[in-house]
Amino acid sequence: MAVAAAASRAAARFLSPRLLIASRHLQASASEGSARDASTSFIHPAAVVHPDAAIGQGVSIGPFCTVGASARIGDACQLHTGSHVTGHTELGEGCVVHTGAILGADLPGRTVIGENNVIGNYAVVGVKCQDLKYKPGDECFLHIGNNNEIREYCSIHRSSKSCDCTVIGDNNLIMGSCHIAHDCKIGSNNIFANNTLFGGHVIVEDYTHTAGAVVVHQFCHIGSFSFLGGGSVVAQDVPRYTMVAGDRAELRGLNLEGLRRNGFSDQEVRSLRKAYWKVFMPASSSQSNFEDRLAELEREIELLESPSVSCMVESIRTSFDQGRRGICKFRSWNIS
């Protein structure tokens, strides 16, 4: 037994270098083959691809996928098993569509999805809106930018009118089971946690963050760098840089952690904090009303020299324009 074991170890030492060399040759051959095949596309025999569909180079279409006549699939896209691209739908380069996802619909209008997007399992993107005012036959549109991750079971709807468009920017993470309704305008670099629901015509700026199970009423505006706490029901606008929570959501101060993570300087944060206190946390409960305090802040030349404070004041002021919903409620804490 000892002799056999020693022989086995000697054989292993002898074969290991040869196996390593063979492995390197195989890897090199595979790399060369991948380079040669990069210009060709693979369509599984069980996929149904209309002959009029435009398929780019290096595309992979798995079994049981369907691609409609008006679809355009960009280079290096991957359609996993049982995913579907229908209607006038354009898919940019390098997108990955996971099992069960449905992109587009046989409706007038168009769904345009940019480059390097990931569409999760059973997500539904670019289908007819749920607005009862939508008239069958009207064109409707959805435009999604680049580098977005749209996770499983999300639903994103096209616009309700031919003169409008549902828009999503770049670099957003939209977690599982989120809903973005018709005519929403979503900016870039946002994070929406699971089950975040946006009603129609909601505007979300950049670098916002929602916790789970957030509901946003139609026509609300969500300002940049804001945070919406878990389970919040947001029925009015959320000013830039602020944090809200509750049902109905109330202002709970500045989004200090979000500001820190996004590189705001200590001076900027101090200026924002001072501006917030002046408007929402007066030193005395007998001090002037909200409108007077906001007007007083607008006269603070030194504070307004901070671009962040100017942006916050603008965000608050425009929330009271005609047709807007005003800002979320707040408590005028007495800090004296």
Side-chain angles (χ1 to χ4, degrees):
M1 294 294 290
V3 172
S8 177
R9 287 195 295 272
R13 285 196 299 271
F14 176 74
L15 289 174
S16 291
R18 294 192 174 192
L19 289 172
L20 182 60
I21 292 169
S23 174
R24 286 173 178 169
H25 280 305
L26 286 172
Q27 290 174 1
S29 299
S31 299
E32 291 169 4
S34 298
R36 286 195 300 271
D37 295 340
S39 61
T40 62
S41 293
F42 169 77
I43 301 176
H44 194 278
V48 179
V49 179
H50 196 282
D52 291 338
I55 308 297
Q57 296 182 339
V59 172
S60 173
I61 301 178
F64 312 115
C65 293
T66 60
V67 180
S70 302
R72 301 175 63 88
I73 310 298
D75 295 346
C77 285
Q78 300 176 39
L79 274 60
H80 289 209
T81 303
S83 56
H84 308 279
V85 183
T86 64
H88 292 273
T89 300
E90 298 179 13
L91 198 59
E93 295 182 6
C95 290
V96 178
V97 184
H98 286 283
T99 297
I102 299 174
L103 308 185
D106 290 316
L107 296 168
R110 189 175 300 275
T111 296
V112 179
I113 300 173
E115 299 178 357
N116 302 313
N117 293 290
V118 177
I119 313 296
N121 300 84
Y122 302 98
V124 180
V125 178
V127 297
K128 187 180 79 170
C129 69
Q130 297 173 149
D131 188 348
L132 296 178
K133 296 188 293 297
Y134 172 75
K135 298 178 181 178
D138 280 0
E139 290 188 321
C140 47
F141 302 95
L142 167 66
H143 190 283
I144 296 176
N146 304 323
N147 306 308
N148 297 288
E149 184 171 3
I150 300 168
R151 294 299 299 267
E152 59 276 5
Y153 296 102
C154 287
S155 56
I156 302 175
H157 292 174
R158 290 202 217 174
S159 62
S160 61
K161 298 178 181 178
S162 58
C163 61
D164 211 333
C165 181
T166 304
V167 177
I168 297 175
D170 304 327
N171 306 306
N172 296 292
L173 172 56
I174 304 172
M175 298 187 196
S177 301
C178 288
H179 174 65
I180 298 176
H182 59 90
D183 307 296
C184 284
K185 304 291 187 293
I186 309 297
S188 298
N189 301 292
N190 298 291
I191 300 174
F192 305 143
N194 301 70
N195 295 293
T196 293
L197 311 177
F198 293 108
H201 302 275
V202 168
I203 295 177
V204 181
E205 295 180 355
D206 303 323
Y207 294 96
T208 69
H209 192 166
T210 72
V214 168
V215 179
V216 180
H217 192 282
Q218 61 195 34
F219 292 100
C220 285
H221 289 225
I222 310 300
S224 296
F225 300 100
S226 59
F227 180 84
L228 282 57
S232 296
V233 178
V234 180
Q236 293 177 285
D237 293 357
V238 178
R240 292 169 186 153
Y241 314 115
T242 62
M243 179 170 55
V244 301
D247 175 17
R248 296 307 198 238
E250 296 181 350
L251 285 169
R252 301 298 176 92
L254 293 174
N255 179 22
L256 296 174
E257 181 62 22
L259 297 176
R260 183 189 65 81
R261 291 182 180 182
N262 285 286
F264 282 69
S265 68
D266 291 342
Q267 180 58 47
E268 287 177 302
V269 173
R270 282 194 294 270
S271 296
L272 283 169
R273 193 195 296 267
K274 187 174 182 180
Y276 186 93
W277 282 349
K278 280 182 173 292
V279 176
F280 299 112
M281 301 174 67
S284 170
S285 58
S286 62
Q287 198 167 337
S288 55
N289 60 34
F290 171 80
E291 176 61 34
D292 291 339
R293 296 195 300 271
L294 183 59
E296 182 182 348
L297 176 59
E298 290 173 323
R299 293 191 293 269
E300 291 270 357
I301 304 300
E302 184 177 348
L303 270 179
L304 291 177
E305 288 178 353
S306 167
S308 301
V309 173
S310 296
C311 285
M312 185 174 73
V313 171
E314 179 193 25
S315 176
I316 297 169
R317 179 61 75 187
T318 55
S319 291
F320 294 96
D321 289 347
Q322 186 174 3
R324 297 283 294 272
R325 299 185 59 80
I327 62 171
C328 288
K329 298 295 186 281
F330 59 94
R331 301 177 185 180
S332 297
W333 298 101
N334 187 341
I335 61 173
S336 58

